[in-house]
Amino acid sequence: METRSDELLAAAREAAGRAYAPYSRFTVGAALLGADGRIYVGCNVENASYGLSLCAERNALFHAVACGCRAFRALALAAPEPTVPCGACRQALAEFCDGGLPIALGSLDPAAPVGRTTLGALFPAPFALGAVRDGGRG
Ligand code: THU
């Protein structure tokens, strides 16, 4: 399947440039390719009350859902050094993506090597509520 990896990585880098990370200084951008062909980006947004901070991945995912997209073909990340999604973001992604979702792990430097994995490799056993899960999607 066409995952438009270079385009997604470029979008993730651009989003990382808009991160609000005055506390960690770790700027992250995420770009999700929707099944609708659109690219949905997010960046991390921190808060003085640290626990309120939102990761780039969930920001991108929730942005997409708010735009009406609930199915995805690929995810790309860009950070000062290549990073995998945190556990909370893996669970959030698993709500809408299957284990085959390709994930490109990029850095802010477009010339640096890109890591490749899948959601299933990172998170093989998501929590789910079975029948309630589908019924609860609204
Ligand atoms: N962060 C993300 O946005 N995505 C990740 O996958 C890991 C961590 C953010 C959260 C926080 O703003 C900063 O990076 C340092 O943890």
Side-chain angles (χ1 to χ4, degrees), residues 20-21 24 26-28 43-46 53-57 77 83-86 89:
Y20 178 75
S24 72
F26 195 78
T27 57
V28 186
C43 59
N44 54 330
V45 180
E46 297 183 346
S53 301
L54 182 64
C55 291
E57 295 89 329
L77 302 180
T83 183
V84 290
C86 79
C89 288

Side-chain angles (χ1 to χ4, degrees), residues 1-4 8 32-37 71-75 100-102:
M1 189 194 296
E2 179 53 62
T3 58
R4 290 157 60 187
L8 272 192
L32 272 167
L33 177 60
D36 59 4
F72 303 97
R73 292 186 201 152
L75 170 66
L101 183 83

